[in-house]
């Protein structure tokens, strides 16, 4: 039996290279060997404020990103969270199995509150990991490929499922997080690439945008002249080369020249522009084709149709186990 995989993203805008390295790549590998569900977590976007004016377009962009990097709808099921509202019922029931202090300790909550300047979390924001647990449990996900920042949410999921199973009988498999990808730093050298930090290279960026962003990248702050020996470690230009360049011999050579001070930052950056554009070109051309032909409504409806019966079955098992029916 193929393992069932569930993962997803909040539709907050176009995806970037950090998403590719962090999770998209793992999904591409998994789609051939597992039964993969990819969730567009629109309810989750509402936890940080209810400005929904771009929501529909963001959902569309996300589907385009998925398809242009090579997710294959014959192999994976892409669906929108709010199209399968059974998840809210499961989240409500899971909410009875976890305390407020436990949720208050989830580290991502503090980060979001700090970054978004939220003084008091809404009930929805506090419950974010509970809804995520319901996403996973609803389809009985066994493997959940996510970025490193999601580890604490997966811990909540596992706790909730253990609690449910021990209280009411084994209804759910205990899912494991699959944390494979690295966290790609931003073009400014900050720890994480993120659209809101304005340090991201988007999968949908054109050649010129990529060039501009790369040529302005943070490198080794201690290196003033091209003849100064430079640092390769923690230098985002080399981290990107390691992640995307096919010619590892060439990267090795560039690194050693950089360390010796026989190559300029500009030369290395020029090569990175080439590498990234080579990586992004097929993604761009697929996207261009899709822009013309894709029927997002149909894709979402197909997804909904596949997931709805699974959701109904899970919920009836849950209600039976809880003696609600
Ligand atoms: N919280 C995830 C993120 O921000 C998105 C998400 C929502 C998710 N539900 C999920 C990921 C279920 C994996 C499984 O990246």
């Amino acid at each position: 039996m193929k393992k069932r995989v569930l993962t997803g993203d909040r539709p907050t805008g176009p995806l970037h290279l950090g998403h590719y390295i962090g999770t998209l790549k793992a999904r591409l590998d998994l789609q051939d060997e597992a039964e993969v569900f990819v969730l567009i977590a629109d309810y989750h976007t509402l936890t940080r404020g209810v400005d929904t004016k771009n929501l529909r377009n963001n959902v569309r962009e996300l589907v385009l990103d998925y398809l242009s990097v090579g997710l294959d709808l014959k192999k994976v099921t892409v669906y929108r969270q709010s199209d399968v509202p059974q998840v809210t019922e499961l989240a409500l029931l899971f909410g009875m199995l976890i305390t407020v202090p436990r949720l208050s300790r989830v580290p991502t909550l503090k980060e979001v509150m700090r970054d978004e300047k939220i003084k008091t979390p809404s009930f929805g924001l506090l419950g974010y990991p509970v809804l995520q647990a319901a996403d996973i449990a609803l389809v009985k996900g066994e493997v959940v490929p996510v970025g490193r920042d999601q580890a604490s949410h997966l811990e909540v999921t596992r706790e909730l499922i253990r609690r449910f199973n021990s209280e009411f009988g084994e209804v759910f498999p205990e899912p494991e997080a699959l944390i494979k990808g690295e966290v790609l730093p931003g073009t400014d050298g900050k720890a994480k690439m993120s659209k809101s930090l304005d340090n991201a290279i988007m999968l949908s960026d054109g050649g010129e945008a990529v060039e501009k962003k790369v040529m302005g990248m943070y490198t080794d702050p201690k290196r003033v002249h091209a003849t100064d020996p430079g640092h390769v470690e923690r230098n985002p230009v080399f981290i990107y080369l390691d992640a995307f360049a096919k010619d590892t011999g060439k990267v090795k050579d560039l690194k050693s020249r950089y360390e010796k001070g026989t190559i300029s930052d500009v030369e290395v950056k020029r090569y990175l522009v080439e590498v990234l554009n080579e990586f992004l070109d097929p993604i761009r051309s697929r996207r261009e084709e899709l822009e013309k032909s894709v029927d997002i409504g149909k894709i979402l409806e197909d997804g909904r149709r596949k997931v709805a019966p699974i959701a109904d079955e899970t919920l009836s098992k849950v209600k039976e186990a809880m003696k609600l029916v």
Side-chain angles (χ1 to χ4, degrees), residues 201 210-211 213-220 223 225-233 235-242 244-245 247 250-277:
I201 296 175
V210 169
E211 181 170 359
K213 288 179 181 179
V214 170
M215 294 320 279
M217 265 178 83
Y218 173 98
T219 55
D220 176 354
R223 191 172 196 242
H225 306 289
T227 48
D228 296 344
H231 290 89
V232 162
E233 263 155 56
N235 185 331
V237 172
F238 285 100
I239 296 176
Y240 290 12
L241 283 176
D242 280 335
F244 293 100
D247 188 347
K250 165 122 186 179
V251 175
K252 219 171 140 200
D253 175 56
L254 291 175
K255 282 183 182 171
S256 93
R257 284 162 65 197
Y258 196 83
E259 282 171 334
K260 282 191 228 132
T262 59
I263 187 169
S264 68
D265 276 36
V266 173
E267 276 171 274
V268 183
K269 284 178 174 176
R270 283 221 182 93
Y271 181 59
L272 179 59
V273 172
E274 228 177 86
V275 163
L276 291 183
N277 281 330

Side-chain angles (χ1 to χ4, degrees), residues 18-35:
H19 292 113
Y20 186 84
I21 295 298
T23 68
L24 292 174
K25 210 166 136 197
R27 294 181 202 175
L28 295 175
D29 294 340
L30 280 167
Q31 67 180 347
D32 291 310
E33 58 196 60
E35 189 190 0

Side-chain angles (χ1 to χ4, degrees), residues 38 40 63 66 71 73 76-80 299-300 303-304:
V38 178
I40 298 178
V63 174
Y66 289 159
L71 280 187
L73 292 176
V76 306
T77 304
V78 172
Y79 70 105
R80 176 165 58 186
I299 292 173
L300 296 178
R304 189 197 67 77

Side-chain angles (χ1 to χ4, degrees), residues 6-10 19 23 27 37 39-42 44 48 81 128 131-136 144-147 149-150 153-154 157:
L6 176 96
T7 185
D9 306 281
R10 281 173 299 119
H19 292 113
T23 68
R27 294 181 202 175
F37 291 83
L39 164 90
I40 298 178
D42 58 346
H44 274 115
R48 294 159 189 206
Q81 193 177 31
Y128 186 116
L131 181 56
Q132 185 164 348
D135 289 332
I136 296 165
V144 186
V146 280
D149 61 315
Q150 295 289 308
H153 292 177
L154 262 293
T157 301

Side-chain angles (χ1 to χ4, degrees), residues 1 30 92 120 125 127 179 183 208 234 266 271 292 313:
M1 268 274 275
L30 280 167
L92 178 109
T120 315
L125 180 58
I179 300 172
V183 178
E208 271 170 42
R234 275 180 305 203
V266 173
Y271 181 59
K292 286 182 236 152
E313 199 199 308

